[in-house]
Amino acid sequence: MADQTLDATDHEILALLREDARRTLSDIATRVTLSTAAVKRRIDRLQELGVILGYTVQLDHAKLGWPVEAFIELRFLGTSNVDEIVQTTTRMPEAQAVFTIAGDPDALVWMRVRDMAHLQRTIDEIRRSHRVTSTKTLIALDSWQRGVKSP
């Protein structure tokens, strides 16, 4: 779907929902100067178009005991296909996201772990895959994400 089918009000509604997906239709309507019914129609249309895929909750991972974030670059045997690359880590509860990349490295995996020992065990598990030829780990000191509130 091309972005030109969305107008400035649609983008404003999306920004408000990204800020707080539990925001009421009435609050959104006030902020974008539309009626509640008009906002509801726009949100329904954005869902039908596949622009809004779902709603989620933001967690404080440190309070859940998983405060360490790391990104692991993975390099695979040249005969590995994309599905094999993704499957190497998606079964691991530590994996938050896997990005396959054109070029070097082959993939970037976003991980959350309890501590450095847990990170080491996770890296060792990845390295045991006979298709992974090398890894490089980057540990996040802090982070910021658009639309995500800081704890």
Side-chain angles (χ1 to χ4, degrees), residues 31-137:
R31 292 171 185 261
V32 299
T33 62
L34 289 176
S35 70
T36 302
V39 167
K40 170 84 169 94
R41 283 192 301 275
R42 282 177 178 257
I43 290 173
D44 289 346
R45 181 177 58 83
L46 291 166
Q47 290 173 334
E48 288 168 14
L49 290 172
V51 173
I52 296 175
L53 299 175
Y55 299 87
T56 187
V57 63
Q58 295 173 15
L59 303 174
D60 183 334
H61 293 280
K63 289 181 180 175
L64 293 171
W66 294 67
V68 179
E69 281 183 287
F71 295 87
I72 304 173
E73 294 180 359
L74 302 179
R75 286 162 187 80
F76 286 78
L77 292 173
T79 57
S80 300
N81 64 42
V82 173
D83 289 339
E84 290 172 312
I85 291 170
V86 172
Q87 290 171 6
T88 299
T89 56
T90 54
R91 60 182 165 62
M92 302 174 76
E94 296 86 356
Q96 303 300 299
V98 179
F99 305 90
T100 55
I101 301 170
D104 183 39
D106 297 304
L108 181 66
V109 183
W110 171 25
M111 294 283 190
R112 282 198 177 274
V113 293
R114 290 183 291 279
D115 53 35
M116 290 301 120
H118 186 192
L119 178 60
Q120 179 63 52
R121 289 190 304 275
T122 302
I123 294 167
D124 288 345
E125 183 179 344
I126 291 169
R127 287 179 177 163
R128 280 193 291 274
S129 164
H130 299 298
R131 303 202 67 76
V132 174
T133 59
S134 71
T135 63
K136 177 180 175 184
T137 303

Side-chain angles (χ1 to χ4, degrees), residues 15-35:
L16 290 167
L17 288 171
R18 284 189 74 184
E19 223 176 68
D20 182 359
R22 292 182 55 171
R23 189 181 301 273
T24 65
L25 293 175
S26 175
D27 179 56
I28 296 169
T30 300
R31 292 171 185 261
V32 299
T33 62
L34 289 176
S35 70

